[in-house]
Amino acid sequence: MQALDGGRIGTSTVSIALLDAETESARAYATRLTDLVELEREEEMRRHEREIETLSGREREDRGRALLRMRGRDEGEGLGGHHVKLMREQKGQPLPDHEIRVGDLVMISKTDPLRDDNPTGTVTQVTNYSITASFDPKPDGWVFGKGLRPDRREEVVSGLRVDLYVNDIPYQRMQDALAKLPTADGALKQLRDVSTGVASPAATEPAPIDDWHNSALNDAQRRAVRKAVATDDVHLIHGPPGTGKTTTATEVLQQCVDRGESVLATAASNTAVDNVVAFLAEQGTDVVRLGHPARVNDRLRTHTLDAQIEDTDTHRRSQQKREKAFAVLDRQEDLTAPSGRWRRGMSDRKIKERAEQGRGSRGVPPERIEEMAAWLALQERADALFDEAEALEQEAIDEVLGAADVVCSTNSTAGSDLLDGHTFDTLVIDEATQATAPSCWIPMTHARRAVLVGDHKQLPPTIQNQEAARRGLRHTLFERLAHHHETAPEAPGSIRSLLRRQYRMHETIMGFPNRTFYDGRLEADDTARHRTLADLGVPEHALPADERRAILDPEASLVFVDTSGIDAPEHQRSGSHSRENPREADLIAQLTTALLEAGVAPSAIAVISPYDDQVDRIDRALAPDGPETDTVDGFQGREKEIVLLSLVHSNDRGAIGFLDEPRRFNVAVTRAERKAVVVGDASTVAAADVLGAFVRYAETTGRAVPL
């Protein structure tokens, strides 16, 4: 990190050591990451299971993470699997408040919520009265009521419990990807060796490009595209806040398509993937979005693999085969199944032989033997039809993927069976600095070369297991590559491009992160350089006449409000690991209310804090239809015209907790476009180097208002 006051904020010795250690052998590297993934997986499982074990079903329901006294109704096949609607036992009864949302994984149980064989499904729809989830395979009959035929949809009281649960699939896919690294050859071996520092990246010259899809790209963005398109192995596009990372990434994708390449685009989050899909679709690119339709933005559903497959003749033939198979299985209803007291230990072959001979066996009459043989023949016929349907379905998938210009998915979904056997000329990973290295390796096993887009000066991925974090899981692949091959972005042969022009922030807001994190290389575009609240029609006379006017002055783009002169101590709620500061929360609420009364739209304001409890306190102090409130971590990747930030900490020990992470403050202050108001106790928060430097910056370049 670069200058605070002409000096440097150095990456810690421990961090450097961890990054340097990753020049280890391929097998040691893969083994270490596999172990860390397992630690993280176990931590997440423990977190969910610990709560299920320690809390009653009623307590889980009170916390919004379970629903009791539910019943299931079979809704048949649909996009993504077999759909089940889950409702209250009592007809017409609304569901209580809960945290279950579309795209979440839920587990259904009846007696023991921790049984390994409880069905889990993806939520596809949530209403006030029901939750619909997609399951693959179809859940057992007890979910719908004992004895029901699969094709019936009677409403049956089942006494079910529905729990919000953990998804284990991403961990399995990370481990599968890592297992390929020790024996990798060809392109994957080169990607592995460059990523671990064992090999140097191939030297290339920027590619000449005459026709640009986005003619508004600036010089730095165009240079990044040229270098990314030319790379033979890996290239990094470093995009600080507001510099157009995704805009640049999509131009890379389109230029690769123009060159006739097969292209895969991924990101850690569904939201980031949807952003790429939306941009490409608007430009007329033929894009296919992998992933469960429930996790895809509604307006992009037509671009999903499921939706596009349905339009193919091959898929329709597959469905016809499947319908025939179910019709064959229906004919089994009138026959004796070879199970229980009728099988009597006989193998399928023995049953068929006895039927051909017209003989019974140990108390089983010949007619029962014949029925069981007929049942087996129908099962074999149905299985063959299902196999044919599955083969046609895979053929339809390959048709759609082969015709697409760009295939888009989350990192995790790139590890699904859908891409088995598929290798892409170019992979672009957006938000690469918010994904763990094992997550990035999932799509990289399908690529000949990779372009990683992100900003390692913002928050890394959240790691739940502290041992895994300490041993390096929080260090991203982007960060590792930038460290091992550290040269100036403009240097010949550099694997990193820096996007320099930002279009979001007033130059005063930009100034502090620019000098602190980005070596002073950023410049504000003319469209953003001088933007203030005055441009929104907020007159100074509409603001309160007290000290709030100096804080909310439309011409003051960056303000630090120092609470060290008032009694504003932090607190910790009983049983909570979070923090809150009631006096700061009240002040933030007053400032927000004053902005609203001055005519600022609620949608233009965001109130953020590092701590959940402070966000909750502020949220309760504001009107229900007021501005958005969130944690700093939750607001990463977002922006608003005005951002008010509560730092919370105020104590005589200089204890600053979460604030002792420079990148968290970088994220916080760079969310604002026209005005950033930071509220905190300078005598406490200045214990952090970055925050101490910020206080001085506000005093000399922005505005500092003591209370």
Side-chain angles (χ1 to χ4, degrees):
M1 298 180 187
Q2 183 57 28
L4 281 175
D5 298 313
R8 291 182 62 86
I9 306 175
T11 305
S12 72
T13 303
V14 173
S15 297
I16 291 292
L18 281 168
L19 290 169
D20 284 340
E22 290 173 6
T23 58
E24 60 209 329
S25 71
R27 184 168 300 281
Y29 171 75
T31 299
R32 181 173 61 82
L33 285 185
T34 299
D35 291 344
L36 300 186
V37 168
E38 184 60 23
L39 286 175
E40 185 71 357
R41 172 186 172 275
E42 291 172 355
E43 184 69 29
E44 186 164 357
M45 296 294 289
R46 275 196 300 270
R47 183 170 62 88
H48 280 270
E49 292 177 358
R50 189 183 306 120
E51 186 173 281
I52 292 174
E53 288 174 346
T54 58
L55 298 180
S56 67
R58 171 74 68 180
E59 288 172 320
R60 282 267 293 175
E61 186 174 61
D62 289 343
R63 296 190 181 195
R65 293 192 281 275
L67 295 168
L68 308 179
R69 302 182 304 283
M70 303 289 284
R71 56 194 170 94
R73 189 173 76 188
D74 188 348
E75 294 289 291
E77 293 291 328
L79 286 177
H82 200 95
H83 287 205
V84 176
K85 180 171 283 189
L86 298 157
M87 304 160 285
R88 285 296 213 187
E89 286 181 335
Q90 184 176 341
K91 290 183 180 181
Q93 184 180 14
L95 300 179
D97 291 339
H98 59 84
E99 297 178 0
I100 300 172
R101 298 292 180 266
V102 170
D104 284 341
L105 195 74
V106 292
M107 176 182 64
I108 299 178
S109 61
K110 193 163 186 178
T111 56
D112 181 1
L114 292 177
R115 281 178 59 103
D116 292 337
D117 57 353
N118 284 333
T120 56
T122 301
V123 177
T124 60
Q125 184 182 51
V126 177
T127 72
N128 291 334
Y129 293 87
S130 68
I131 289 173
T132 302
S134 174
F135 294 80
D136 185 18
K138 178 182 176 181
D140 291 337
W142 58 265
V143 171
F144 313 109
K146 185 177 180 180
L148 279 185
R149 284 177 45 162
D151 58 341
R152 293 182 183 169
R153 299 185 180 181
E154 288 89 347
E155 296 181 354
V156 174
V157 174
S158 300
L160 302 177
R161 169 173 169 168
V162 180
D163 279 275
L164 184 61
Y165 200 54
V166 65
N167 190 349
D168 196 42
I169 294 174
Y171 296 105
Q172 297 173 7
R173 290 174 178 168
M174 284 188 270
Q175 292 175 335
D176 289 345
L178 293 171
K180 297 175 183 178
L181 297 186
T183 58
D185 56 13
L188 181 58
K189 179 179 184 297
Q190 175 69 1
L191 286 173
R192 179 199 71 194
D193 291 346
V194 170
S195 299
T196 57
V198 172
S200 297
T204 56
E205 292 295 324
I209 297 176
D210 296 322
D211 297 322
W212 296 90
H213 290 267
N214 186 346
S215 60
L217 292 178
N218 61 49
D219 290 343
Q221 290 171 326
R222 293 187 180 210
R223 185 165 53 249
V225 173
R226 289 190 180 102
K227 293 173 72 174
V229 169
T231 187
D232 287 332
D233 37 45
V234 65
H235 190 73
L236 308 179
I237 297 179
H238 182 191
T243 56
K245 291 188 294 293
T246 301
T247 299
T248 306
T250 50
E251 183 72 32
V252 172
L253 293 168
Q254 291 171 305
Q255 291 294 333
C256 290
V257 170
D258 290 347
R259 284 161 170 72
E261 298 178 9
S262 56
V263 183
L264 174 64
T266 68
S269 69
N270 281 291
T271 299
V273 177
D274 285 346
N275 288 340
V276 174
V277 173
F279 192 99
L280 290 172
E282 288 171 4
Q283 302 300 310
T285 304
D286 188 354
V287 56
V288 176
R289 168 70 154 94
L290 307 187
H292 200 291
R295 298 191 177 100
V296 179
N297 188 299
D298 286 343
R299 63 190 174 89
L300 302 176
R301 291 283 174 88
T302 57
H303 298 287
T304 62
L305 178 63
D306 294 76
Q308 293 192 34
I309 282 176
E310 287 188 341
D311 289 335
T312 66
D313 289 335
T314 308
H315 172 74
R316 283 187 279 272
R317 286 162 50 208
S318 171
Q319 289 301 97
Q320 290 168 359
K321 294 283 187 182
R322 204 174 296 277
E323 290 169 4
K324 287 181 181 179
F326 282 119
V328 170
L329 292 178
D330 281 343
R331 290 161 56 189
Q332 290 178 327
E333 293 288 332
D334 299 324
L335 300 173
T336 299
S339 60
R341 67 191 183 97
W342 296 117
R343 181 176 277 274
R344 297 286 177 89
M346 289 183 288
S347 66
D348 290 350
R349 182 177 60 82
K350 181 64 70 176
I351 290 173
K352 293 174 185 177
E353 289 177 355
R354 298 269 179 176
E356 288 176 0
Q357 297 166 359
R359 296 172 51 196
S361 174
R362 292 188 298 170
V364 182
E367 57 270 21
R368 291 291 186 186
I369 296 287
E370 290 177 6
E371 284 191 9
M372 288 193 290
W375 192 100
L376 289 170
L378 290 173
Q379 187 65 50
E380 290 171 358
R381 173 61 179 151
D383 289 344
L385 286 167
F386 280 128
D387 288 343
E388 292 172 18
E390 187 172 336
L392 287 168
E393 190 78 10
Q394 187 59 52
E395 185 179 330
I397 290 171
D398 292 340
E399 283 178 19
V400 172
L401 294 181
D405 291 333
V406 181
V407 176
C408 296
S409 79
T410 61
N411 293 341
S412 176
T413 299
S416 70
D417 294 342
L418 294 170
L419 294 187
D420 276 357
H422 288 267
T423 300
F424 295 85
D425 295 319
T426 300
L427 162 70
V428 175
I429 305 180
D430 199 9
E431 287 191 349
T433 51
Q434 294 181 44
T436 63
S439 172
C440 289
W441 279 115
I442 298 173
M444 287 176 71
T445 61
H446 293 283
R448 294 187 176 91
R449 61 179 185 160
V451 178
L452 278 63
V453 185
D455 179 13
H456 54 302
K457 304 302 184 181
Q458 295 188 62
L459 283 169
T462 300
I463 307 299
Q464 298 182 72
N465 184 278
Q466 294 307 303
E467 174 70 8
R470 186 184 64 78
R471 289 171 54 188
L473 190 57
R474 72 168 69 248
H475 293 298
T476 65
L477 193 57
F478 188 109
E479 186 178 9
R480 184 181 307 111
L481 282 160
H483 174 73
H484 284 314
H485 310 287
E486 187 173 7
T487 57
E490 296 81 6
S494 172
I495 69 164
R496 180 163 63 97
S497 297
L498 176 68
L499 305 183
R500 300 170 60 97
R501 188 182 301 176
Q502 68 85 18
Y503 299 85
R504 175 185 300 169
M505 296 166 276
H506 185 283
E507 60 182 353
T508 304
I509 301 174
M510 180 198 74
F512 179 72
N514 188 24
R515 69 161 66 173
T516 307
F517 298 99
Y518 302 110
D519 297 344
R521 293 178 176 174
L522 300 186
E523 58 184 34
D525 188 74
D526 289 341
T527 59
R529 187 185 306 276
H530 301 301
R531 57 172 40 154
T532 67
L533 286 189
D535 302 330
L536 299 182
V538 180
E540 185 176 353
H541 64 77
L543 299 170
D546 55 22
E547 68 273 4
R548 286 177 293 175
R549 176 168 295 186
I551 298 170
L552 301 178
D553 180 358
E555 297 296 335
S557 61
L558 185 143
V559 180
F560 175 66
V561 183
D562 183 6
T563 64
S564 59
I566 63 175
D567 185 22
E570 64 183 276
H571 294 288
Q572 186 171 9
R573 298 179 188 178
S574 176
S576 173
H577 296 291
S578 188
R579 293 284 190 279
E580 63 182 346
N581 188 314
R583 189 74 182 270
E584 272 191 25
D586 290 344
L587 176 58
I588 291 280
Q590 292 172 23
L591 294 171
T592 304
T593 301
L595 286 169
L596 296 172
E597 292 175 347
V600 179
S603 60
I605 306 172
V607 179
I608 61 177
S609 174
Y611 292 101
D612 284 314
D613 284 357
Q614 184 74 343
V615 171
D616 176 64
R617 178 174 279 274
I618 294 170
D619 191 52
R620 286 187 282 112
L622 297 173
D625 56 350
E628 185 175 358
T629 59
D630 206 344
T631 61
V632 173
D633 297 48
F635 208 68
Q636 181 164 240
R638 305 280 309 284
E639 59 192 74
K640 288 285 187 179
E641 306 276 5
I642 309 163
V643 172
L644 297 97
L645 168 65
S646 173
L647 298 179
V648 177
H649 283 289
S650 178
N651 56 71
D652 56 8
R653 308 180 309 280
I656 53 175
F658 264 167
L659 299 184
D660 197 19
E661 164 53 272
R663 290 175 293 187
R664 180 165 283 107
F665 187 71
N666 184 30
V667 169
V669 76
T670 56
R671 300 308 94 198
E673 298 176 5
R674 300 177 186 273
K675 189 175 187 70
V677 177
V678 181
V679 179
D681 180 346
S683 66
T684 298
V685 301
D689 290 342
V690 167
L691 284 168
F694 172 76
V695 171
R696 295 190 291 277
Y697 178 82
E699 291 171 342
T700 58
T701 307
R703 176 176 294 181
V705 178
L707 296 182

